[in-house]
Every structure is written in structure tokens, then in C-alpha cells.
Amino acid sequence: MELILKNVKKKDLPVLKSLAKSLGFEIEKEEKPYNPEFVKEILEAEQSIKDGKGVKIKLEDLWK
């Protein structure tokens, strides 16, 4: 059987790990990396803003 815990607070993680270990459970941490194309797109967008290629929009014009 497989059990997945979501939204675990950092402060509770050591307690859960200790409990699982004492009960003989196997613990696996699965990292799900971001899509590389998405990361590339975000990094390019950040760089273009640093290079002054961004567009400024007034807050009151945002919803027009």
C-alpha cells in the first residue's frame, strides 16, 4: 500500500518521519522538477525585464 501526505508543515515532518521509522515504514521523497521549457521561459522573461524590455501598466489601467 502507498500513502501520500500533502501539505505537511515543516515542523511536523520530523515527527512523522520518526513515527514512520519506528513502525518500519519505508520513506521516499519524490521531487517533481519544473518543466525545463517553463523554467527557461521564466528566466528569459526576468532577464528581459532587467534589460529594460518590460512594459509598465498603470494599476488603474490594468482592468481595462
Side-chain angles (χ1 to χ4, degrees), residues 6-58:
K6 294 184 178 184
N7 300 322
V8 175
K9 295 178 183 169
K10 270 191 172 182
K11 67 179 183 83
D12 296 333
L13 192 56
V15 174
L16 291 171
K17 283 184 176 181
S18 176
L19 178 62
K21 187 176 179 180
S22 68
L23 294 172
F25 296 160
E26 182 180 329
I27 300 173
E28 288 183 16
K29 184 176 180 183
E30 184 177 313
E31 295 286 333
K32 293 186 178 182
Y34 287 109
N35 179 332
E37 285 297 317
F38 173 74
V39 173
K40 180 182 174 188
E41 194 175 308
I42 297 300
L43 293 175
E44 286 174 354
E46 286 180 346
Q47 187 59 46
S48 70
I49 290 172
K50 287 179 185 175
D51 295 341
K53 297 178 185 174
V55 177
K56 290 187 179 183
I57 301 173
K58 292 181 183 179

